[in-house]
């Protein structure tokens, strides 16, 4: 069964203090790994899709990397507006599940707080 | 601008009432999804659709029903709301792998 584990559960940073969030995954062949940002009471906002080990993507202060077992979301010089919960999800490289869809498994997220 | 919309954003309703949560997308995506999310918990898929007239139940058992009569519209209906249905409901759509989410509907059943 596909599994996604995110760590830490919560992270408190000073403004400008760079850090990384971890997403460890177990999947029977990776089709895609997704990072989302979710603000309280809102839907997840898409950040990145990574497809293969060694791939990297950047957007402003965020950089996502992928290995065969985990992904990191690096936050460089964060600002208070980066405070949110960051979700990781994986989709397996299977044709179809018994119910006919390519399942996406989500982690429980890392809640990031950036203090001015 | 292509987007995905959900209404209402917040709903407080009494037990036994019938409710419909609306979801529309203007991205031309064939696949659409409904997820349920409780605070601090992961998203659980309750319904999905691969296209018009195609709907299936997801992994999480739900008493809700869905319909897909038009590509852009994927409403979710609860025939008789109960307090156990209190949650956040998220609608998403995808073209290929990446799912894009709406703003969510926060439902409180008294």
């Amino acid at each position: 069964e596909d599994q996604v584990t995110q760590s830490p559960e919560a992270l408190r940073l000073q403004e400008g203090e760079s850090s990384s969030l971890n997403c460890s995954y177990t999947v029977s062949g990776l089709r895609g790994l997704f990072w989302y940002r979710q603000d309280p009471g809102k839907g997840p906002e898409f950040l990145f899709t990574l497809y293969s080990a060694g791939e990297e993507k950047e957007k402003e202060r965020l950089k996502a990397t992928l290995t065969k077992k985990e992904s990191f979301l690096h936050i460089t010089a964060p600002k208070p507006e980066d405070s949110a919960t960051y979700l990781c999800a994986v989709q397996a490289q299977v044709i179809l599940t018994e119910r006919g869809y390519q399942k996406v498994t989500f982690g429980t997220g890392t809640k990031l707080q950036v203090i001015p | 601008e292509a987007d995905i919309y959900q209404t209402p954003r917040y709903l407080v309703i009494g037990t036994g009432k019938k409710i419909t949560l609306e979801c529309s997308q203007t991205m031309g995506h064939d696949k659409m999804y409904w997820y349920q999310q409780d605070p601090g918990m992961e998203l659980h898929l309750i319904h999905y659709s691969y296209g018009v007239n195609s709907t299936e139940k997801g992994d999480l058992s739900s008493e809700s029903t869905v319909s897909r009569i038009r590509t852009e519209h994927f409403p979710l209906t609860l025939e008789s709301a109960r307090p156990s249905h209190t949650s956040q409901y998220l609608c998403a759509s995808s073209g290929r792998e990446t799912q894009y989410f709406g703003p969510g509907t926060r439902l409180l059943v008294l």
Side-chain angles (χ1 to χ4, degrees), chain A residues 60-74:
Chain A
E60 297 180 355
R61 294 178 292 280
L62 301 176
K63 180 180 177 179
T65 62
L66 181 64
T67 72
K68 288 186 177 181
K69 293 183 179 180
E70 56 192 357
S71 177
F72 292 94
L73 184 66
H74 307 278

Side-chain angles (χ1 to χ4, degrees), chain A residues 56-91:
Chain A
E56 299 182 351
K57 288 191 176 175
E58 286 188 68
K59 179 181 179 180
E60 297 180 355
R61 294 178 292 280
L62 301 176
K63 180 180 177 179
T65 62
L66 181 64
T67 72
K68 288 186 177 181
K69 293 183 179 180
E70 56 192 357
S71 177
F72 292 94
L73 184 66
H74 307 278
I75 304 177
T76 303
K79 297 181 178 181
E81 54 261 41
D82 294 323
S83 297
T85 295
Y86 290 85
L87 301 175
C88 174
V90 295
Q91 187 177 55

Side-chain angles (χ1 to χ4, degrees), chain A:
Chain A
E1 185 175 323
D2 303 338
Q3 284 191 323
V4 176
T5 303
Q6 292 189 246
S7 62
E9 289 185 9
L11 181 62
R12 198 174 183 189
L13 299 174
Q14 289 292 131
E15 184 172 1
E17 180 187 2
S18 301
S19 188
S20 296
L21 313 183
N22 178 263
C23 171
S24 297
Y25 65 91
T26 304
V27 67
S28 54
L30 182 69
R31 180 179 176 92
L33 184 142
F34 314 96
W35 281 100
Y36 292 89
R37 169 195 170 124
Q38 186 173 26
D39 292 302
K42 296 187 178 180
E45 174 189 345
F46 170 70
L47 295 173
F48 305 108
T49 302
L50 302 169
Y51 294 99
S52 57
E55 189 175 1
E56 299 182 351
K57 288 191 176 175
E58 286 188 68
K59 179 181 179 180
E60 297 180 355
R61 294 178 292 280
L62 301 176
K63 180 180 177 179
T65 62
L66 181 64
T67 72
K68 288 186 177 181
K69 293 183 179 180
E70 56 192 357
S71 177
F72 292 94
L73 184 66
H74 307 278
I75 304 177
T76 303
K79 297 181 178 181
E81 54 261 41
D82 294 323
S83 297
T85 295
Y86 290 85
L87 301 175
C88 174
V90 295
Q91 187 177 55
Q93 186 72 270
V94 295
I95 300 174
L96 288 172
T97 66
E98 290 181 358
R99 293 183 175 179
Y101 77 98
Q102 291 171 304
K103 179 178 179 178
V104 175
T105 302
F106 285 84
T108 54
T110 293
K111 186 174 182 178
L112 173 66
Q113 183 183 15
V114 182
I115 303 163

Side-chain angles (χ1 to χ4, degrees), chain B residues 5 7 20-26 29 32 34 49 51-53 55 66-76 91:
Chain B
Y5 306 93
T7 57
T20 296
L21 309 184
E22 302 287 349
C23 176
S24 295
Q25 51 98 3
T26 58
H29 289 161
M32 296 188 74
W34 276 103
S49 168
V52 171
N53 296 324
T55 62
V66 292
S67 63
R68 189 91 182 274
I69 298 172
R70 304 197 317 263
T71 299
E72 63 271 20
H73 194 214
F74 191 39
L76 180 146
C91 180

